[in-house]
Amino acid sequence: MSNTVKGWIAAIFIGLLWGIPWIVGTPIMEVMDAQVLVWVRYTVAFITLGIVFNVGLSTGKMKKKADFKLTWDNRSDVFWAAACGIVGQGAFSYLSFLSLDYITASENGVIQGLIPILILTVGFFRHNAHFTILQMLAAVGAFVGVAILVMDPNSETNGFNIGHLICLGSAASFSCTAYARAKLAEKYGSVATMFHQFIFASIGFGVYLMFSGADFSSALGIFSSPLRMLCIVILGVGISGTSYLVYIYAMERVGVDGTGMALNLMPLSSFVLAVFALGEAVTPMRLLAMAVVVVSMMLFMKFAHKETASEPKPVTE
């Protein structure tokens, strides 16, 4: 099997895997609040990635680009690493899980599929990125697909509600830090950058939970069933802790564009798993909405301006 084929397999795997956090989080939220789940997720994630990172360094499989120092002189990088962790990871995850109180997991997954458009929108306003005309049309198509989904009269959520806005806020939280994440990864390395983010996300939400009076003991609810234990392993160890290594592997073999195309499978993954694992209804409008969003996002990536090798690439999930 060639490296290119292996790269495509890895890219497709990540596209499918990153569409399921909201699915595997559903059984866990039966025994704990969304904010506690976020703290548990990123605590497990930074421990997992810390082990992987240190083993990689000791065996020579990974190399550290630069030391991340918690000093006043390095305050800018510390600030952005904290922002990427607390806002780009913690708030992103919290708002997404919170939205599940109002909307279905498949609706959540489709809205999260808009992240590439939101990232480029941030780039347009802050980093001189540009939309092509065809990208603008594809972006409009993607939002039309979401509108079809939201207005489905047969939906369990009875049309548009606050949950859709919360979910959109989740996607925006992740997107607004994508370029900062890319610059930090360029300086410190991708794995080290994600490790630092996860630490800030865990500490930030831990402090928030202490001041909000949340029940930390509810985290023990994970051990109430084998299913919930499996879900937190998938969520913390797999999706957050180690999947980023597979993402880097895929980018090295099929490039940023190829990996980006595969990530358009995220809404499809969310939809299919929500139907089979959670028993969500399949309606004609929901199928149409998913198809419109996926096709629009594929066209959005296809019509993108080619970036030069020196430009940092926004890092997704």
Side-chain angles (χ1 to χ4, degrees):
M1 186 182 296
S2 69
N3 284 336
T4 301
V5 173
K6 292 178 181 177
W8 277 112
I9 292 174
I12 291 171
F13 172 75
I14 288 298
L16 296 174
L17 181 68
W18 284 355
I20 68 171
W22 337 118
I23 311 297
V24 296
T26 299
I28 303 175
M29 289 181 63
E30 294 173 355
V31 294
M32 71 177 71
D33 293 334
Q35 55 194 9
V36 178
L37 174 55
V38 171
W39 174 70
V40 173
R41 173 185 183 177
Y42 288 109
T43 299
V44 172
F46 94 72
I47 292 173
T48 301
L49 199 55
I51 294 172
V52 170
F53 187 40
N54 283 285
V55 170
L57 290 175
S58 63
T59 58
K61 298 294 185 181
M62 297 180 187
K63 293 185 179 180
K64 188 182 294 185
K65 285 188 174 183
D67 288 328
F68 183 80
K69 298 178 180 178
L70 295 172
T71 63
W72 179 253
D73 290 339
N74 199 39
R75 60 188 179 277
S76 178
D77 286 355
V78 172
F79 169 81
W80 283 111
C84 289
I86 297 172
V87 178
Q89 296 291 340
F92 156 67
S93 187
Y94 172 59
L95 292 174
S96 189
F97 287 132
L98 182 63
S99 73
L100 295 176
D101 289 338
Y102 308 93
I103 64 177
T104 64
S106 58
E107 288 177 310
N108 182 299
V110 171
I111 293 174
Q112 295 293 349
L114 298 176
I115 283 178
I117 292 178
L118 296 177
I119 288 176
L120 192 56
T121 301
V122 173
F124 175 79
F125 286 107
R126 295 203 55 186
H127 302 281
N128 201 33
H130 297 286
F131 288 103
T132 65
I133 298 299
L134 292 175
Q135 271 191 305
M136 293 181 185
L137 294 175
V140 171
F143 280 100
V144 168
V146 172
I148 294 173
L149 179 76
V150 169
M151 301 312 295
D152 183 359
N154 296 315
S155 172
E156 297 95 321
T157 55
N158 298 317
F160 178 76
N161 63 56
I162 189 65
H164 297 103
L165 292 179
I166 292 173
C167 189
L168 186 61
S170 164
S173 296
F174 184 87
S175 302
C176 70
T177 59
Y179 282 87
R181 190 177 302 118
K183 290 182 179 179
L184 290 170
E186 190 174 37
K187 181 175 181 179
Y188 297 102
S190 299
V191 177
T193 296
M194 296 303 289
F195 175 59
H196 299 145
Q197 287 181 69
F198 292 162
I199 289 178
F200 278 115
S202 175
I203 294 175
F205 264 77
V207 171
Y208 170 70
L209 292 179
M210 286 191 291
F211 280 98
S212 65
D215 182 12
F216 278 92
S217 65
S218 65
L220 297 176
I222 292 170
F223 302 104
S224 61
S225 75
L227 174 61
R228 294 190 180 101
M229 293 172 65
L230 174 62
C231 285
I232 197 60
V233 169
I234 294 173
L235 189 60
V237 177
I239 296 175
S240 296
T242 58
S243 68
Y244 195 69
L245 302 177
V246 183
Y247 176 68
I248 294 171
Y249 177 90
M251 281 203 303
E252 290 174 345
R253 285 155 181 79
V254 299
V256 175
D257 289 342
T259 310
M261 290 291 286
L263 293 182
N264 291 311
L265 292 172
M266 290 168 58
L268 178 61
S269 174
S270 294
F271 179 83
V272 172
L273 196 58
V275 169
F276 287 99
L278 302 179
E280 291 189 9
V282 178
T283 67
M285 285 190 68
R286 186 169 287 180
L287 289 173
L288 175 62
M290 183 195 66
V292 170
V293 170
V294 171
V295 171
S296 296
M297 291 308 304
M298 292 180 68
L299 293 175
F300 181 83
M301 297 297 297
K302 180 178 177 61
F303 297 141
H305 283 300
K306 297 298 180 183
E307 296 176 295
T308 62
S310 62
E311 292 177 314
K313 309 298 189 298
V315 181
T316 52
E317 169 71 39

